[in-house]
Amino acid sequence: MLTMNEIIKADLFRQGGLSGFEGFIKGLSYPGFRYVFYLRMTSRYKKNSILGIFFRILKRRCRIKYGYEIDSEAQIGEGLYISSHSGHVVVGPIKIGKYCNINQSVTIGRAYKCGKIGRPTIDDYVWIGTGAVIVGDIRIGKNVLIAPNAFVNFDVPDNSLVIGNPAQILPKKNPTKNYLNYIDFNCQSA
């Protein structure tokens, strides 16, 4: 299991290969990374501690300024990349794997189906396009590309491309190739 510092290094590296202190300072100028960093810090410190309150205030300011809203209870793996373009991103208390991209105007949350409330589980190496909606008690497999404006309320198998509204699943070998960059912060040639 990675430490919080290793998780933040992976998040930072996703910002064009940034690393080290200078990279961290530059990364804080990117709204997406800044919000992810504050999100990580809110989960690191207790809610009522001084640092917990401080980072929750900073996270809230970013939420108001940029429109990002990710629940602090969400379980998110390392290497999260949120597009720095303006546009609301709403993510409930769900589970997201490592090295995922979330673009602007994305909603990921709960939905009612057959009288049951459920939230999605998103596996590793998933790219979520602009305007996509992912809702319900569903599982998004590994190495999946969800195209812009797709509405997904069903399970998606590994190695798939999801397009359209209503969404369709197209099996595809390595659909996230050239979409997920700077994945391994230990490898400078990502």
Side-chain angles (χ1 to χ4, degrees):
M1 186 164 192
L2 296 176
T3 67
M4 184 59 72
N5 288 341
E6 292 169 328
I7 291 170
I8 292 169
K9 283 181 184 179
D11 294 339
L12 178 63
F13 191 75
R14 294 295 313 282
Q15 304 292 321
L18 296 177
S19 62
F21 182 73
E22 286 180 24
F24 177 75
I25 297 302
K26 184 174 181 180
L28 286 177
S29 71
Y30 302 146
F33 174 73
R34 186 179 323 140
Y35 185 84
V36 169
F37 174 70
Y38 296 155
L39 175 69
R40 300 290 191 193
M41 293 295 100
T42 61
S43 64
R44 183 179 198 170
Y45 296 105
K46 292 182 181 182
K47 197 174 191 175
N48 295 328
S49 69
I50 292 173
L51 287 174
I53 292 168
F54 173 72
F55 284 112
R56 278 173 173 70
I57 290 169
L58 293 176
K59 181 179 167 245
R60 186 173 196 281
R61 290 189 66 205
C62 268
R63 180 188 64 140
I64 292 166
K65 187 171 184 178
Y66 302 114
Y68 306 134
E69 177 57 41
I70 299 178
D71 194 293
S72 294
E73 301 300 316
Q75 299 172 25
I76 302 173
E78 71 270 16
L80 177 64
Y81 179 88
I82 297 178
S83 172
S84 291
H85 301 291
S86 294
H88 295 285
V89 172
V90 180
V91 180
I94 65 167
K95 188 172 188 178
I96 299 176
K98 60 185 179 179
Y99 301 108
C100 289
N101 275 42
I102 300 174
N103 286 291
Q104 65 269 21
S105 301
V106 168
T107 299
I108 305 170
R110 72 180 181 175
Y112 297 97
K113 188 174 184 179
C114 300
K116 290 172 43 179
I117 298 175
R119 290 183 170 90
T121 298
I122 299 172
D123 220 323
D124 304 336
Y125 308 103
V126 175
W127 187 89
I128 303 168
T130 301
V133 176
I134 304 169
V135 293
D137 186 13
I138 62 172
R139 180 187 170 274
I140 306 296
K142 289 183 181 178
N143 196 27
V144 170
L145 187 143
I146 298 175
N149 299 315
F151 178 79
V152 184
N153 64 349
F154 50 82
D155 290 340
V156 177
D158 296 350
N159 302 307
S160 298
L161 170 63
V162 181
I163 61 171
N165 186 356
Q168 300 174 17
I169 299 173
L170 303 173
K172 186 171 182 182
K173 184 179 179 183
N174 203 7
T176 59
K177 183 178 181 178
N178 299 324
Y179 285 87
L180 296 175
N181 297 318
Y182 301 101
I183 290 178
D184 184 2
F185 61 90
N186 293 316
C187 177
Q188 296 298 323
S189 63

